[in-house]
C-alpha cells in the first residue's frame, strides 16, 4: 500500500476535501472537494534515465543529494511536464552526468507501486568519455561489470537494470525488460 500524505484541501478553491468514491461512476476513492466538488486524481510519478555505455563500461553517478546521498546510480530523475519519456531521460543524463551520447531504445520499464512510481531506462551510447556532472552528482565514472560497487547502488531499479544490461550484453542481444517491484 502506498504511503503518501493525504490531500487535505482543494487545489482549486482551498476548501476541505473528503476521501470518497465520486458520484461520476468512478470506482476508486478520491479526494473530492466539499465545496466545488473538484475530484483530485493522484497518479504515479515517472522516473526516467539511461544506461550510458562506453565500450564494456557503464556510466554511474555518485549522488550528491538525498535520498541515498553518496550512493551510485544511473543518471535518472523525475520526468517533467512538456517532455517525452526519452526527452526526460536525455535531460537527466545531461544534468547529472554532463554526458554526450546517442539515445537508443527503451530497455527497462519498472513499476514500483509501493512508492507510486514507474521507472523507465533507455540504453544510450556515449560519444565521449569526458563528463561534466551537475550539482546533484559528486562524481560521474565508468565501471566495468566487475568494478561496479553493487553494495553501494542507490536504488533497486538501478541494480536490476544493471543486472539485465550485463546479462543481455553477455548474450549479445538486448531485450526490453518489464519488472514489477513489490
Amino acid at each position: 500500500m502506498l504511503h503518501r500524505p493525504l490531500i487535505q484541501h482543494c487545489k482549486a478553491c482551498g476548501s476541505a476535501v473528503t476521501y470518497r468514491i465520486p458520484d461520476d461512476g468512478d470506482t476508486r476513492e478520491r479526494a473530492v472537494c466539499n465545496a466545488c466538488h473538484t475530484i483530485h486524481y493522484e497518479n504515479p510519478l515517472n522516473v526516467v534515465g539511461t544506461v550510458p555505455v562506453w565500450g564494456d563500461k557503464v556510466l554511474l553517478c555518485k549522488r550528491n543529494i538525498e535520498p541515498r546521498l553518496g550512493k551510485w546510480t544511473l543518471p535518472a530523475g523525475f520526468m517533467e511536464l512538456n517532455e517525452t519519456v526519452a526527452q526526460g531521460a536525455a535531460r537527466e543524463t545531461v544534468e547529472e552526468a554532463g554526458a554526450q551520447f546517442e539515445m537508443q531504445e527503451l530497455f527497462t520499464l519498472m513499476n514500483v507501486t509501493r512508492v507510486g512510481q514507474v521507472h523507465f531506462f533507455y540504453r544510450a551510447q556515449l560519444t565521449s568519455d569526458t563528463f561534466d556532472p551537475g550539482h546533484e552528482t559528486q562524481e560521474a565514472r565508468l565501471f566495468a561489470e566487475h568494478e561496479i560497487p553493487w553494495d553501494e547502488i542507490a536504488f533497486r531499479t538501478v541494480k536490476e537494470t544493471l543486472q539485465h544490461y550485463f546479462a543481455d550484453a553477455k548474450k549479445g542481444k538486448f531485450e526490453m525488460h518489464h519488472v514489477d517491484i513489490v
Side-chain angles (χ1 to χ4, degrees), residues 75-129:
F78 290 111
M79 184 174 160
E80 300 285 348
L81 294 174
N82 300 314
E83 67 184 6
T84 66
V85 174
Q87 287 169 338
R91 176 187 48 76
E92 287 290 343
T93 303
V94 170
E95 286 178 5
E96 293 192 3
Q100 299 170 38
F101 59 96
E102 293 176 2
M103 189 71 90
Q104 296 178 319
E105 71 280 349
L106 184 61
F107 182 62
T108 57
L109 183 157
M110 301 184 160
N111 293 301
V112 192
T113 55
R114 65 181 160 63
V115 294
Q117 296 177 358
V118 182
H119 293 216
F120 300 87
F121 286 95
Y122 285 81
R123 289 180 50 232
Q125 180 61 53
L126 291 165
T127 57
S128 169
D129 63 351

Side-chain angles (χ1 to χ4, degrees), residues 23-58:
D23 300 328
D24 65 355
D26 200 338
T27 58
R28 292 182 179 252
E29 193 173 82
R30 312 278 184 193
V32 181
C33 179
N34 296 322
C36 73
H37 308 289
T38 297
I39 301 168
H40 298 279
Y41 297 93
E42 298 171 84
N43 303 105
L45 295 171
N46 294 324
V47 173
V48 294
T50 62
V51 182
V53 176
W54 181 262
D56 66 343
K57 296 184 177 186
V58 171

